[in-house]
Amino acid sequence: MANSSDDDGQLDNGHRSDDEVQATQTRAKRRIAALEFELETLKASSKKPRQNDTMAHRGRAIRRLITLYDNVEDLIAEYDRRQELAAEDPDQGVFDSSLDPQIIRDQDRLYSSFEELVEFLPWFKKKILHCDADELDDICKQLRKGADGARGDDTAGLKQEIVIWLTDLFHPVEPPLRTTTKDERGFVHDVTGKLICPAEYNWILQSVKDKVRDRDPSHLVTAHSWPLFIYQNFKFDATDAEQGLFRSSLLVKAFKFLFTSPSSARDIDEDGQEAARRQRSSNHKSATKNHVAMILGLKSVTPRAIAYTAVQVRFALSSVGSWRNVDGDFDYVQFYNAIIDFFEVVPGNAAKQRVDELISWWNRKVFGKNRRILLPAAVIANSSVARLAAQRSEREIPSP
């Protein structure tokens, strides 16, 4: 029969069945929808943010993780200086032996800042190598804009939040501190005065308070002394100045406020331990939302991030209203550099081990025990998996 069809619904005269026609139309509709989506995507991608806005956003990592006071241009200049010396005479080295050791240390710190820069902004080294002077200058200006903007945001946020923490830690705080002004902070107030007082001074004594407030030469407040707020439980052991150093609950609170989230800072009690009671909803939000550390690419606490936090806390506790490098006799730049040097310039293996343990302590406090830890190559090489792989290779008999 001319018009008969088989059991599969296909016509024997070569015409397609209704199912085939419908399938073809459905595929065409899907293709049209895909092309429309692709067109909308192309339109959206054409509305890219301006280059300057992108660079400013990338620069927000610089003050927090790389260098608080040096400009990017200074880091590039130190990189160029070392490259030029190496090209002229590879055996000469990058230092003039006649230079003051402090100058050499400043140069070393600058270069380590450059290394941090290309680690957190890996694309930047290519810019240095290929951009002309004018383009590189414009990029540096935009990075600086973002860097200073991030520092300003952190300063404003910490100015208010620290009052809440101090009220919880030292309740009752008399007279109460205000979040809107810093006039009553610093050495004017008993609580903030105690925290920024040099650790070796006994703030409890009225005579010490009077001398500090009067800037008595015997009790000047300088960056040559660690302020009490960076010590655990705000206690200083004169027989062991390293005991409890950089283990302050206030410092950890500030770090989490700046680098994770404001809510995470409330999970720290007076001893720097994790609070037993947590809000599950808050934890869920923190887990699903990218925090500052993730955006910046910070996977582990770094000395420079700790130094940045310490400077921000010290400034928040002071009575100074606007950002500055020097407050009376206290030099913030010197304070920042002293913290970096504590971590980066160690006298030997014992000190290095203590620093590593301190960083591990910080990572547990900030990122928790579930943070992924990258194992050193030596540990991996000594693992049972690596040993088995080597053993299997050794037992293979070469083919005749």
Side-chain angles (χ1 to χ4, degrees):
M1 296 178 61
N3 293 328
S4 64
S5 61
D6 57 19
D7 292 339
D8 293 331
Q10 293 186 354
L11 300 176
D12 61 353
N13 62 359
H15 293 285
R16 294 181 301 170
S17 68
D18 291 341
D19 288 344
E20 285 182 312
V21 172
Q22 185 177 358
T24 301
Q25 292 174 346
T26 302
R27 286 195 299 272
K29 289 178 181 179
R30 286 199 296 267
R31 179 58 180 161
I32 292 171
L35 290 172
E36 289 176 345
F37 178 77
E38 185 176 349
L39 179 60
E40 290 299 320
T41 303
L42 289 172
K43 289 180 179 179
S45 64
S46 66
K47 299 178 182 179
K48 294 180 179 178
R50 293 184 305 168
Q51 177 75 3
N52 287 351
D53 293 339
T54 303
M55 286 298 171
H57 179 73
R58 292 173 175 176
R60 293 181 70 85
I62 292 175
R63 297 289 177 237
R64 292 162 165 166
L65 303 179
I66 298 166
T67 176
L68 179 52
Y69 293 104
D70 299 311
N71 292 322
V72 175
E73 294 89 338
D74 299 326
L75 312 189
I76 297 173
E78 177 60 19
Y79 168 77
D80 288 342
R81 185 187 72 83
R82 295 188 179 219
Q83 293 298 308
E84 291 168 3
L85 287 176
E88 292 174 1
D89 186 356
D91 299 326
Q92 178 182 348
V94 295
F95 300 113
D96 182 350
S97 58
S98 64
L99 290 176
D100 183 275
Q102 185 56 51
I103 295 177
I104 295 178
R105 174 56 197 150
D106 291 341
Q107 292 174 342
D108 261 346
R109 198 184 301 110
L110 266 180
Y111 189 69
S112 61
S113 296
F114 175 81
E115 292 178 318
E116 293 287 320
L117 176 66
V118 295
E119 177 179 344
F120 285 102
L121 303 178
W123 52 268
F124 190 69
K125 193 166 186 179
K126 185 179 291 185
K127 294 288 185 183
I128 296 174
L129 298 175
H130 300 291
C131 286
D132 58 39
D134 291 338
E135 184 181 356
L136 188 59
D137 182 60
D138 183 60
I139 291 174
C140 290
K141 287 179 180 178
Q142 295 307 317
L143 290 175
R144 190 185 313 123
K145 177 182 178 182
D148 292 341
R151 185 207 65 203
D153 292 344
D154 291 342
T155 301
L158 209 54
K159 171 187 174 181
Q160 300 183 45
E161 193 73 11
I162 203 165
V163 173
I164 300 173
W165 302 337
L166 295 181
T167 302
D168 291 341
L169 289 170
F170 299 98
H171 183 77
V173 174
E174 295 294 342
L177 294 167
R178 290 178 289 174
T179 60
T180 55
T181 180
K182 297 178 66 183
D183 293 341
E184 71 274 19
R185 303 185 195 183
F187 294 111
V188 175
H189 198 283
D190 233 21
V191 171
T192 54
K194 169 187 176 181
L195 294 175
I196 62 175
C197 181
E200 60 265 34
Y201 298 168
N202 189 355
W203 179 257
I204 296 177
L205 301 176
Q206 187 60 45
S207 59
V208 171
K209 296 178 186 178
D210 293 339
K211 289 180 179 179
V212 168
R213 289 166 177 164
D214 292 339
R215 293 180 67 183
D216 186 286
S218 65
H219 283 73
L220 293 179
V221 178
T222 71
H224 293 290
S225 299
W226 296 120
L228 193 62
F229 78 83
I230 64 175
Y231 278 94
Q232 191 170 32
N233 297 323
F234 315 120
K235 294 180 180 179
F236 173 69
D237 184 351
T239 64
D240 184 359
E242 194 172 348
Q243 177 67 34
L245 186 65
F246 299 118
R247 295 177 186 259
S248 157
S249 61
L250 189 61
L251 203 56
V252 175
K253 280 178 179 288
F255 191 102
K256 298 191 76 170
F257 176 82
L258 297 175
F259 289 97
T260 55
S261 68
S263 60
S264 69
R266 304 186 188 107
D267 293 335
I268 304 295
D269 66 15
E270 295 183 16
D271 296 323
Q273 304 297 323
E274 295 181 4
R277 184 168 56 88
R278 299 175 183 272
Q279 299 179 358
R280 293 187 178 182
S281 60
S282 176
N283 286 351
H284 177 70
K285 291 178 181 178
S286 298
T288 56
K289 182 179 179 182
N290 287 348
H291 50 58
V292 175
M294 293 174 64
I295 295 172
L296 298 179
L298 182 67
K299 299 178 182 178
S300 175
V301 176
T302 67
R304 287 159 192 267
I306 295 174
Y308 173 81
T309 303
V311 171
Q312 285 281 11
V313 172
R314 208 282 179 186
F315 181 78
L317 293 170
S318 75
S319 59
V320 177
S322 59
W323 186 264
R324 61 181 64 175
N325 293 350
V326 177
D327 175 11
D329 301 299
F330 189 87
D331 189 321
Y332 281 101
V333 180
Q334 184 181 351
F335 178 52
Y336 177 78
N337 289 338
I339 298 175
I340 293 176
D341 289 350
F342 169 82
F343 286 95
E344 294 186 358
V345 184
V346 293
N349 290 332
K352 178 65 167 57
Q353 183 176 351
R354 292 194 300 274
V355 164
D356 291 342
E357 290 172 354
L358 179 57
I359 293 294
S360 296
W361 180 90
W362 268 92
N363 280 321
R364 289 194 301 273
K365 295 301 175 187
V366 174
F367 297 112
K369 296 180 180 179
N370 294 328
R371 181 185 70 91
R372 183 183 179 187
I373 299 176
L374 298 178
L375 294 176
V379 174
I380 296 176
N382 197 40
S383 66
S384 56
V385 172
R387 288 184 179 184
L388 177 58
Q391 177 181 303
R392 295 178 72 190
S393 297
E394 292 173 357
R395 289 179 176 177
E396 284 298 313
I397 301 175
S399 301

